[in-house]
Each structure stands twice: as structure tokens, then as C-alpha cells.
Amino acid sequence: MSHISNPMEIYKLLNGSNCKECNEKTCLAFAVAVFKEKKSIHACPYLEKEVIERYGGAIEKPNTVDEYKAEAIEELKQKVSLTDLSDAAKRLGAGFSNNKLTIKIFGKEFSVDTRGNISSEVHINAYMAVPALNYILNGSGKSPNGNWITFRELTGGPPRFAHFQQRCEKPLKRVADTYTDLFKDMLEIFDGKRIVSHIDSDISIILYPLPLFPIMVCYWKPEDGLEPDLHIYFDSTSDDNLDIESIYTFCEGFALMFEKIALRHGVQ
Ligand code: SF4
């Protein structure tokens, strides 16, 4: 295990994007907080496992990204228990009965009751639960307007855009390049709708991770020496209903799910 003797040694391990996902204003502030043992090095989701293993124990007690997500869910559940869910249901146009607010995640029912207990038709992991609870707590209820924009154009998108490409679009594209049934599965498993897109993609699919938060996945097949490409677009009202970290988390979870599905089908 490597020894850390000053904050700059930690800073050099970080990607310098100042994306704030660790809840610190800058990577440097994060490095200082880690050095002072006020923060765990695991709070930066962009460190390689190997780096965490090498330096994690040298500066603080281990804590995994999954544990952070579990803590976030518990905090959000508590906030939900202090919220008027029938008001939230009216604001979001969601169902409310028997003290439970129900929305649909990818077309499947997800409910939370007035005590913050979650129930769902399908297995809901932290990548889905955190954004869904944030949506219930803070979503404005604004309806999508059909104006599609990139992640970079969303409020708070620019500093996270490189990570979004790296952790969301690229993995999905890798799967799409080799796994031809990807889009068929998107339609079937996630209740997607195929559309003819205005941006000339070969395949365009609209999915509803949340009722007022649609995404459009567009894929361009390789052609005449051109590389294949994949992009995810968002309705321009998305950031009225979901904060940028929740949008990122949802997309990252979505890409991870598809990697798993592809692996099950034998795609490397
Ligand atoms: S999450 Fe990582 S990359 Fe982002 S600001 Fe914090 S330390 Fe820097």
C-alpha cells in the first residue's frame, strides 16, 4: 500500500475535471479533505479500483461507491418521509393511493410510501432509485416539449460532459457495435418506441426512464469509411425535473445494465 504524505499526491491521482460529484467544489478541495481524513477517497467515482486499492487504506477507512449510494438512498427516503406525497403526486401528475405515490420507471411501476418505503414491479438498483427519489422530491412537473438537446446543453452538463461520454455513451456504443439486438431489447425490456429522427441516425429510440424524463438514443451504423456513432439526447425540459447528477446516474446505470445484458448474450 502506498503512503500519502501531502494533498498534492492525492490531487495528482484525480482527473482534474472539478465535476463536484464528490460534493467538493474542486478536485483540489477533495484532495485536501481526503488528506485531512474528512472524506473518503472512494467518494470520487472516477478513480480506478487499482488506485483506490493502492492508496485507499493509506489515508482513511475503506468505503465503497455502493455504500455511498446506499447512504444517499437512505437520506432521500428520510426526506420523502417528511414530504407531502399527495402534493408531489399532483405536481408530477403521478398516482397516489393508500399513502403511496406511484410512478413508472421504464414503463414499470415504482412506488414509495409516506414512510419512505420503496416497492417496485422490477428490481430497482441504486442507479435507478437515487434519481427516482430525487425526481419525486424536486421534479417541477414540466411536460417534455420534444426539443432534443445534448448532455452538454443541460444545466450543469459541461463540467460532467467528458465523464458522461466516457461512462454512458461509449459503453453503450461498444455494445451497439457488436450486439445487433441491442435496440430490439431496448424496445422490449424498457418499453421503448422507435421513431424517425430528425438527425439522420440509422436507429432512434425514445425511452422513458421517468414519466417526464424521456431520453432519445440514436445510433449511426458504420458506412462508407465512417465510424459508427451513438449519442443520447435529452428533452430540453429535463433539468426542470431532474438534477444533473441524477441524469448522469440514470444514464450510467442504463449503460451498465446493457453491458450486463450483452455479456449474458456472449458479447465481449
Ligand atoms: S468527483 Fe473526483 S473528479 Fe469530480 S471534483 Fe470530486 S475529485 Fe474531482
Side-chain angles (χ1 to χ4, degrees), residues 207-220:
L207 302 158
Y208 280 83
L210 290 163
L212 300 173
F213 173 61
I215 60 174
M216 178 167 72
V217 183
C218 295
Y219 183 66
W220 289 261

Side-chain angles (χ1 to χ4, degrees), residues 14-15 17-22 26-27 30 44-46:
L14 307 171
N15 65 20
S17 65
N18 300 327
C19 70
K20 301 188 182 69
E21 284 188 46
C22 56
T26 61
C27 292
F30 177 75
C44 172
Y46 301 108

Side-chain angles (χ1 to χ4, degrees), residues 12 15 21 36 39 74 77 98 104 118 123-124 127 146 151 162 164 175 177 181 205 209 215 225 253 263 266:
K12 282 186 207 153
N15 65 20
E21 284 188 46
K36 289 184 176 169
K39 200 121 205 175
E74 283 315 308
K77 281 170 149 185
N98 300 326
K104 290 205 169 170
I118 290 173
H123 171 69
I124 295 291
Y127 290 99
F151 185 88
F164 172 76
V175 177
D177 288 346
D181 281 342
I205 283 182
I215 60 174
L263 279 173

Side-chain angles (χ1 to χ4, degrees), residues 15 17 19 46 159-168 248:
N15 65 20
S17 65
C19 70
Y46 301 108
R160 293 170 176 80
F161 185 55
H163 293 310
F164 172 76
Q165 288 179 304
Q166 200 60 32
R167 303 280 286 251
C168 307
Y248 176 91

Side-chain angles (χ1 to χ4, degrees), residues 48-61:
E48 298 293 329
K49 196 170 164 234
E50 178 267 326
V51 173
I52 291 176
E53 277 167 7
R54 187 147 40 96
Y55 293 97
I59 32 197
E60 31 45 32
K61 63 180 187 316

